[in-house]
Amino acid sequence: MREHIVTAFLPNGSLQKIFPVTLERAKKCAKRLENLRMESKDGLVNMNDFLLYETEAQLQLALFGMSNEWMEETNEQFRNSMAGKIDPLYARHFIKQLVDNMHEGDYAGPASQGVGSDKSVRGPLSDALRSISADGKADAGNGFIFAFAGHDTTGHTLTWLLFELARNPEIQKKLQQEVDEFYNSLNGREMTYADLKELKYMTKCIFETLRLWPAVANGTFREIQFDDTIKGPNGKDVMIPKGTFCRIINWSRHRNPDLWGADAETFNPDREWKESEIWFDDGLRAYNPASERFSPFTFQPRDCIGKNFAHMEMRAILCFLLKDYSFELTSAYKSVDSSKFVGVNYGTMGPQDLTQPEMVTSKPGWGPPVRKPVGLFMKPVPRAK
């Protein structure tokens, strides 16, 4: 199954062909932010909600190939249903519609055309999922996983990155300088997928965000395939039998000073990276960036299947936002004790909305009935042209 689905995320066979869809949505994203800023009485925008909307839009439009009308109709409602803000049964309705659209739409991609095809691509993920369709439950399960996990992790990562840029204005200026130089190098033409590799400092900022604020902080489970021996307390050998489930935790490992140095709790894109962690400073590559201390997309062979799309959409969105805006924190976040502000972790980790009560009631069905609210209000400040 995985070998069919992965065709939707191939850089040359799929992503570069759907990049114009990603680019067009990224342009609208910047215009949408301006509208929200102007409509707000105090100029503040919930950037977490904004970015979750945009990553869901990217997923539906570019990967699934859905219409803009359907995306606008379902985007907010699906996310609110998953967040416990409205009836959770809406999520089931959404997935049923998504699966019906997948089977009825005119989609094409490497899964049906062949990996080496030079034909146009539309909705490559819909094309891949329906090519392996076995039954309704499998369709619904795959649709749900990609519709939720495919936007939630990326939206939170972008939010945490803007949070850190606002806390570190000198880093924000350095990244904006790279974005400005990037646009100047295009000489007025549209950016392409191949151009994204030039954003090398942006890559370091994204990876530093994934290190400090991993979207899946708890990590993932793996099953031990063979008996193995590891070092336990006091250096004693401990035998781990085949079949044991283990969890590879990101949060503590990504912030361990023994692995990262004394500044492990500090946002520092210029830290000393291992070459395998930043693609040997190539800017953008298709293989999984990882080391024994760093695994934002887990480890091969079952690393995050959507990582290449996430890298593409994050860079496109950030280019348009940082070209036009600087971002500032509100007073609530400026005064927060950073040692205690660790995010809200309900499977994926987002920032706590400090403008609401500490705990809010959610609709029964998904997650705990009382939970910490997720959100991040920021002030987008237009940059001088």
Side-chain angles (χ1 to χ4, degrees), residues 32 55 131 188 217 267 298 358:
R32 179 170 163 263
T55 52
S131 74
F267 185 78
T298 75
E358 184 174 359

Side-chain angles (χ1 to χ4, degrees), residues 344-356:
V344 180
N345 186 12
Y346 293 123
T348 56
M349 188 176 67
Q352 183 177 347
D353 185 353
L354 299 181
T355 67
Q356 294 192 46

Side-chain angles (χ1 to χ4, degrees), residues 147-300:
F148 179 70
H151 91 280
D152 199 62
T153 51
T154 311
H156 286 324
T157 298
L158 287 169
T159 305
W160 286 120
L161 176 49
L162 291 187
F163 172 74
E164 288 294 348
L165 292 180
R167 290 213 296 182
N168 298 274
E170 70 288 351
I171 296 176
Q172 183 169 186
K173 289 179 181 178
K174 183 175 179 179
L175 181 53
Q176 286 174 322
Q177 181 179 353
E178 180 183 69
V179 169
D180 293 343
E181 292 172 354
F182 173 72
Y183 274 104
N184 288 336
S185 71
L186 298 178
N187 291 318
R189 67 173 175 83
E190 295 276 31
M191 72 175 78
T192 65
Y193 178 78
D195 291 324
L196 300 179
K197 67 180 183 296
E198 304 302 326
L199 297 162
K200 297 182 179 182
Y201 188 65
M202 183 180 289
T203 291
K204 291 182 178 180
C205 289
I206 290 172
F207 284 163
E208 178 68 346
T209 302
L210 289 166
R211 181 192 72 81
L212 199 59
W213 301 102
V216 186
N218 293 345
T220 55
F221 283 103
R222 291 292 185 268
E223 181 180 348
I224 303 298
Q225 293 182 289
F226 308 97
D227 292 347
D228 201 358
T229 300
I230 64 172
K231 292 295 181 182
N234 301 318
K236 294 182 178 180
D237 287 343
V238 177
M239 200 280 284
I240 307 296
K242 174 185 176 180
T244 299
F245 284 95
C246 67
R247 173 175 278 182
I248 305 170
I249 298 176
N250 289 328
W251 179 265
S252 54
R253 189 160 44 94
H254 284 187
R255 289 174 173 245
N256 189 335
D258 293 338
L259 300 175
W260 295 93
D263 69 341
E265 298 279 347
T266 302
F267 185 78
N268 178 18
D270 292 308
R271 70 176 54 256
E272 187 174 343
W273 295 92
K274 294 185 177 182
E275 291 183 326
S276 63
E277 296 167 347
I278 55 169
W279 293 313
F280 295 83
D281 204 26
D282 280 342
L284 181 64
R285 287 292 180 264
Y287 63 86
N288 187 34
S291 70
E292 70 282 356
R293 66 178 184 173
F294 183 63
S295 56
F297 300 100
T298 75
F299 292 103
Q300 293 179 325

Side-chain angles (χ1 to χ4, degrees), residues 34-162:
E34 176 61 13
N35 291 337
L36 291 173
R37 186 185 73 85
M38 295 298 291
E39 292 168 3
S40 171
K41 293 181 180 179
D42 51 12
L44 302 181
V45 177
N46 185 341
M47 290 305 299
N48 184 241
D49 184 73
F50 173 85
L51 291 165
L52 288 171
Y53 184 100
E54 291 304 324
T55 52
E56 178 65 22
Q58 288 281 349
L59 186 74
Q60 288 194 30
L61 299 173
L63 270 183
F64 280 112
M66 300 295 151
S67 70
N68 191 70
E69 292 74 20
W70 193 76
M71 182 279 293
E72 291 182 344
E73 175 188 334
T74 62
N75 189 320
E76 185 175 6
Q77 291 188 84
F78 173 60
R79 293 183 299 105
N80 284 342
S81 176
M82 293 302 299
K85 296 178 181 179
I86 65 172
D87 190 341
L89 290 178
Y90 178 83
R92 295 185 182 181
H93 168 72
F94 169 85
I95 295 302
K96 183 181 183 305
Q97 277 193 307
L98 178 66
V99 171
D100 289 344
N101 291 345
M102 279 188 340
H103 286 282
E104 295 170 2
D106 181 21
Y107 305 115
S112 62
Q113 298 173 341
V115 172
S117 172
D118 59 357
K119 296 180 180 178
S120 61
V121 170
R122 177 173 179 263
L125 185 55
S126 291
D127 177 65
L129 290 177
R130 70 183 183 183
S131 74
I132 58 169
S133 177
D135 56 57
K137 289 184 178 179
D139 282 343
N142 285 325
F144 173 78
I145 289 172
F146 281 104
F148 179 70
H151 91 280
D152 199 62
T153 51
T154 311
H156 286 324
T157 298
L158 287 169
T159 305
W160 286 120
L161 176 49
L162 291 187

Side-chain angles (χ1 to χ4, degrees), residues 306-353:
K307 63 184 181 299
N308 292 337
F309 180 75
H311 284 305
M312 179 177 79
E313 63 175 314
M314 282 195 287
R315 284 159 178 76
I317 290 171
L318 287 170
C319 277
F320 280 95
L321 294 185
L322 294 173
K323 174 174 69 73
D324 293 338
Y325 294 96
S326 296
F327 293 88
E328 297 178 358
L329 292 175
T330 64
S331 57
Y333 293 94
K334 287 180 180 178
S335 58
V336 74
D337 183 349
S338 59
S339 65
K340 297 179 180 179
F341 186 67
V342 294
V344 180
N345 186 12
Y346 293 123
T348 56
M349 188 176 67
Q352 183 177 347
D353 185 353

